[in-house]
């Protein structure tokens, strides 16, 4: 293949620069959308909320102006905006001229919707990130009689089902078995206080889910409303709040101060470490998901508690460029665009163009930047996660994630991700991942894991 222009280094490549510009613009649109939506929030006074939030390990909005989100690639480099250099072109037998496109002809991408907390202020990402490590004494060993580790999916106040699942897993406090919850222990079901009380009694661990986050924020908001005498901060009427907020406030009121404090101390990310005798690396528990390629400490806590899919603005823009080229080529040959520019044709041309760019040394970090979203119109984060782990050369570097949150998908077991929300509160099942000592096929002591589920009564 002959190049019609010398290929510059990756950071000077105009295609690389242009796509980074699009990602920056997409991020700016996200920020603007979130800022406009927050204007309609009945957000609490920062000064009034600070004291209550500090006690409950919560964070509140800063009075400083919002900063644009810093999107990082897999190498941890933040994006920046540079001048667009002259187009780079080279010829391909099937695609013709592969070139960087004029920025004026690009179609703007729709902004990724921000993740909301209803009428309550969104916590600050900087202070809300909490990564804890499970004490090693709770990790199962490859020896007969070793304590077991039981990770339970979203309970949502279903105390009877939780007790039934513990019985089915043969949980034994005397043996030293340890229980971890993947978040959303509360709300929706009939006995949130009972679930938390039992978890505390067992000395269980867990992570903060979006429902724990909501009830803690609702509790803070109510405390601020009751302590303020200013007319603008008068207690909100129930008619002014959403159904979900009223439910969160009711749950918060049903919990004791000790239970609220216990929930507030749950980390967003719980690192388990390496399971004995397993080839792969460490295990991690979160509520919703993780962005591949980003250190645990750098993950956005709101995303970790709420995400379902990932959007790739750079990839979306690249596909739009390819589609436009195909449409232009069809028009030039006086062919019907609908007959030529199918989704399959766009995808095939996109994949081939990316292979050509990669072959010629063009960096792809710009199109691999991921934006987490609550919506389902992106790539499931677990799919991206498994692909990223399998791409790691050494198995000991691969990380397995246990999570909940995604009731619609249900029990979702993959090589490096274990989704345990099997929609108990809607009449599905309550599921657990159990690590326990066992024997290999050749009779050697190992740590095995299995899924245990119990049927649930519908309560939502």
């Amino acid at each position: 293949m002959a190049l019609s222009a010398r290929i510059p280094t990756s950071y000077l490549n105009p295609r690389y620069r242009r796509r980074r510009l699009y990602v920056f613009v997409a991020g700016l649109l996200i920020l603007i959308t979130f800022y406009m939506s927050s204007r309609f929030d009945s957000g609490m006074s920062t000064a009034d909320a600070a004291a209550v939030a500090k006690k409950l390990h919560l964070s509140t909005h800063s009075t400083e102006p919002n900063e644009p989100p810093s999107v990082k690639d897999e190498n941890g480099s933040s994006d920046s905006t540079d001048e667009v250099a002259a187009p780079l072109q080279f010829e391909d037998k099937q695609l013709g001229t592969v070139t960087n496109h004029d920025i004026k002809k690009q179609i703007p991408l729709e902004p990724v919707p921000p993740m909301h907390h209803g009428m309550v202020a969104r916590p600050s990402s900087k202070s809300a990130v909490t990564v804890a490590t499970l004490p090693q004494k709770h990790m199962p060993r490859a020896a007969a009689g070793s304590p077991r580790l039981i990770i339970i999916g979203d309970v949502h106040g279903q105390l009877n089902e939780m007790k039934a699942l513990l019985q089915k897993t043969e949980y034994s406090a005397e043996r030293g078995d340890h229980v971890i919850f993947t978040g959303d222990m509360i709300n929706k079901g009939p006995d949130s206080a009972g679930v938390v009380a039992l978890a505390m009694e067992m000395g269980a661990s867990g992570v903060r889910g979006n429902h724990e986050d909501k009830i803690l924020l609702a509790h803070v908001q109510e405390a601020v409303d009751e302590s303020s005498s200013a007319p603008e901060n008068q207690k909100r009427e129930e008619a002014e709040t959403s159904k979900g907020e009223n439910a969160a406030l009711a749950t918060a009121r049903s919990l004791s101060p000790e239970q609220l404090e216990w929930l507030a101390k749950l980390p967003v990310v719980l690192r388990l470490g390496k399971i004995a005798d397993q080839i792969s690396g460490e295990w991690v528990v979160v509520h919703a998901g993780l962005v591949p390629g980003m250190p645990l400490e750098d993950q956005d806590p709101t995303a970790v508690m709420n995400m379902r899919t990932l959007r790739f603005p750079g990839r979306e823009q690249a596909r739009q460029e390819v589609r436009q080229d195909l449409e232009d080529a069809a028009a030039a040959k006086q062919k019907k665009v609908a007959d030529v520019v199918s989704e399959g044709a766009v995808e095939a041309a996109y994949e081939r163009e990316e292979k050509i760019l990669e072959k010629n040394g063009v960096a792809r970090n710009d199109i691999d930047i991921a934006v987490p979203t609550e919506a389902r119109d992106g790539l499931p984060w677990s799919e991206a996660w498994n692909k990223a782990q399998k791409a790691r050369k050494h198995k000991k570097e691969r990380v397995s994630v246990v999570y909940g949150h995604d009731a619609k998908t249900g029990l979702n077991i993959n090589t490096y991700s274990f989704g345990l929300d099997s929609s108990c509160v809607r009449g599905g099942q309550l599921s657990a991942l159990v690590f326990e000592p066992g024997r290999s096929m050749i009779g050697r002591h190992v740590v095995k894991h299995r899924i245990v589920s119990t049927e649930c009564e519908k309560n939502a």
Side-chain angles (χ1 to χ4, degrees):
M1 179 188 306
L3 295 176
S4 60
R6 178 176 173 271
I7 299 178
T9 57
S10 60
Y11 69 92
L12 292 176
N13 188 284
R15 183 185 189 87
Y16 177 78
R17 289 174 175 273
R18 191 183 66 257
R19 287 186 180 169
R20 291 174 71 90
L21 174 61
Y22 300 147
V23 172
F24 176 80
V25 172
L28 187 60
L29 289 173
I30 295 171
L31 178 64
I32 294 172
T33 304
F34 172 71
Y35 173 75
M36 293 303 296
S37 66
S38 67
R39 293 291 298 274
F40 298 95
D41 289 353
S42 57
M44 67 191 75
S45 164
T46 302
D48 290 335
V52 183
K54 182 178 180 181
K55 182 179 179 182
L56 290 179
H57 304 273
L58 294 172
S59 55
T60 55
H61 274 304
S62 170
T63 54
E64 296 297 324
N66 289 329
E67 297 179 358
S70 177
V71 185
K72 296 183 178 181
D73 60 27
E74 293 196 356
N75 296 319
S77 302
S78 300
D79 62 338
S80 58
T81 305
D82 300 304
E83 280 187 25
V84 178
L88 169 69
Q89 295 182 345
F90 49 90
E91 299 299 322
D92 177 71
K93 293 181 180 179
Q94 294 189 30
L95 293 180
T97 302
V98 178
T99 182
N100 290 280
H101 306 272
D102 185 348
I103 193 170
K104 295 181 180 180
K105 83 177 204 178
Q106 303 312 317
I107 305 171
L109 290 170
E110 294 182 3
V112 178
M115 286 173 274
H116 295 288
H117 276 66
M119 300 292 287
V120 187
R122 178 187 179 188
S124 165
S125 297
K126 292 183 179 179
S127 58
V129 172
T130 306
V131 180
T133 301
L134 185 74
Q136 282 298 301
K137 66 180 181 179
H138 296 313
M139 296 296 284
R141 301 185 306 275
S146 167
R148 298 177 308 153
L149 188 62
I150 302 171
I151 307 178
I152 298 178
D154 300 33
V155 179
H156 278 301
Q158 303 278 79
L159 179 60
N160 292 334
E161 286 80 354
M162 175 180 160
K163 290 179 177 178
L165 182 61
L166 288 171
Q167 184 176 5
K168 194 170 182 178
T169 61
E170 301 178 349
Y171 165 78
S172 172
E174 292 75 17
R175 184 172 50 215
D177 293 351
H178 189 70
V179 175
I180 300 174
F181 294 92
T182 63
D184 281 10
M185 302 166 60
I186 57 176
N187 266 0
K188 298 185 179 181
D191 197 354
S192 293
V195 169
V196 177
L198 182 54
M200 293 174 66
E201 181 184 334
M202 294 189 301
S205 302
V207 294
R208 183 187 294 197
N210 58 306
H211 280 273
E212 283 84 13
D213 205 45
K214 287 176 181 177
I215 69 100
L216 291 168
L217 290 169
H219 177 70
V220 170
Q221 180 67 64
E222 183 179 45
V224 171
D225 289 342
E226 290 179 346
S227 65
S228 175
S229 58
E232 63 271 18
N233 286 326
Q234 288 298 320
K235 199 170 184 177
R236 295 176 297 164
E237 297 294 335
E238 287 194 359
E240 296 178 355
T241 60
S242 69
K243 181 179 178 180
E245 286 181 289
N246 288 330
L249 186 57
T251 299
R253 290 170 176 170
S254 75
L255 301 175
S256 68
E258 293 77 18
Q259 290 174 333
L260 287 167
E261 182 72 11
W262 185 82
L263 289 175
K265 290 181 179 179
L266 294 177
V268 177
V269 178
L270 181 62
R271 177 183 277 128
L272 306 186
K274 190 178 185 300
I275 303 293
D277 289 329
Q278 295 201 358
I279 298 176
S280 295
E282 69 173 340
W283 288 72
V284 172
V285 179
V286 299
H287 177 60
L290 293 170
V291 176
M294 182 176 290
L296 296 179
E297 292 77 12
D298 293 341
Q299 299 276 340
D300 184 299
T302 301
V304 173
M305 293 185 287
N306 291 275
M307 76 169 72
R308 290 190 177 91
T309 63
L310 301 174
R311 292 276 298 276
F312 297 86
R315 296 183 186 181
E316 294 169 23
Q317 182 63 57
R319 282 178 172 83
Q320 288 191 20
E321 293 174 3
V322 170
R323 178 183 295 278
Q324 187 63 57
D325 280 349
L326 292 176
E327 290 178 354
D328 292 346
K333 296 179 180 179
Q334 297 183 342
K335 294 183 177 180
K336 290 184 178 180
V337 171
D339 295 338
V340 179
V341 191
S342 64
E343 289 300 323
V346 172
E347 187 63 24
Y350 167 79
E351 291 294 339
R352 182 162 178 76
E353 180 172 328
E354 291 308 314
K355 287 180 181 179
I356 294 171
L357 292 172
E358 186 175 7
K359 182 179 179 181
N360 285 279
V362 178
R364 297 189 64 185
N365 288 341
D366 57 333
I367 67 169
D368 286 333
I369 295 173
V371 179
T373 172
E374 291 177 279
R376 297 183 181 276
D377 58 349
L379 177 70
W381 77 267
S382 58
E383 183 178 333
W385 184 267
N386 277 269
K387 183 177 180 180
Q389 302 314 305
K390 291 175 183 177
R392 292 178 179 267
K393 183 177 181 180
H394 301 292
K395 288 187 176 181
K396 64 180 181 180
E397 297 176 351
R398 299 174 184 177
V399 180
S400 298
V401 183
V402 187
Y403 66 101
H405 188 59
D406 196 354
K408 186 174 181 179
T409 299
L411 196 64
N412 188 17
I413 308 302
N414 292 288
T415 306
Y416 298 102
S417 64
F418 296 76
L420 299 182
D421 188 353
S422 42
S423 197
C424 179
V425 76
R426 296 182 180 177
Q429 295 181 320
L430 183 62
S431 299
L433 177 65
V434 181
F435 292 92
E436 58 193 355
R439 295 271 189 172
S440 67
M441 295 182 64
I442 60 174
R444 191 166 66 91
H445 285 287
V446 295
V447 174
K448 292 188 173 183
H449 57 76
R450 61 189 172 100
I451 299 294
V452 181
S453 300
T454 188
E455 299 299 321
C456 297
E457 181 180 346
K458 185 176 182 180
N459 277 287

